[in-house]
Amino acid sequence: MAPSDTTTGRPPEPAPERPGPAELCEGSAAAGPAADPAELAGRLRAVIQHLLPVLRGHSTHRDLTPSRTAALATLDAHGPLRVSELAARMNIALSTTSRTVDLLDDRGWIARRTDPLDQRASLISLNDAGRALLRAVRRETTGLLAERIGRLPPDRQHLLHAALPALEELVDDAG
């Protein structure tokens, strides 16, 4: 006899099946109509929203907040920058960026130097300590993700791999 729902006495509804690789792989005959962009966006946002705290929660670098990590990563990719350029790249207010830069400087993770094009302005960049910290954080989160990905069945790992180019395009489109 199948177990029943204690409130209704009826058998529980079966959980909806997740689509398999054939249903999700682009170009598959079984792929069906295109997915709804709004549904994909909502599900992707929810996954990211839940995954980021998991990654942060395992970090040994408790004083490195998400905004500080983002600033270090932006400087790593695009520095040296003026504070205003960092704010624009991070899409946050200049005053918030200034406070973040001051905190990064206080912790010894960045270097400041005079902008040769405008002696009144400063350029900020990662110093060796900031670069080492960012590498350590990336190594840590990559290891945690690799461990979680390794627990997925091979077909799910393949789907995740197949989705990466589209996800990378979303980042590229963001500038």
Side-chain angles (χ1 to χ4, degrees), residues 98-114:
S98 293
R99 284 191 302 276
T100 299
V101 166
D102 288 342
L103 287 165
L104 297 177
D105 194 21
D106 290 346
R107 285 175 172 71
W109 296 332
I110 62 169
R112 293 183 196 239
R113 66 178 169 86
T114 304

Side-chain angles (χ1 to χ4, degrees), residues 163-175:
L164 286 174
L167 294 170
E168 291 163 346
E169 259 183 67
L170 294 176
V171 173
D172 292 343
D173 286 350

Side-chain angles (χ1 to χ4, degrees), residues 112-132:
R112 293 183 196 239
R113 66 178 169 86
T114 304
D115 185 341
L117 300 177
D118 182 351
Q119 299 296 309
R120 299 166 298 168
S122 294
L123 291 175
I124 53 174
S125 59
L126 284 184
N127 61 19
D128 290 341
R131 214 170 280 105

Side-chain angles (χ1 to χ4, degrees), residues 4-81:
S4 63
D5 182 320
T6 56
T7 58
T8 65
R10 290 183 291 207
E13 293 287 326
E17 285 190 34
R18 291 183 177 179
E23 291 85 9
L24 294 175
C25 287
E26 188 176 334
S28 167
D36 175 36
E39 179 190 353
L40 286 174
R43 290 179 67 186
L44 181 58
R45 181 209 43 80
V47 167
I48 291 169
Q49 184 177 355
H50 288 93
L51 186 58
L52 289 176
V54 168
L55 296 176
R56 279 188 231 118
H58 287 83
S59 178
T60 58
H61 307 282
R62 296 288 177 202
D63 57 344
L64 191 58
T65 65
S67 58
R68 293 174 194 166
T69 303
L72 292 175
T74 303
L75 288 171
D76 185 47
H78 305 286
L81 297 171

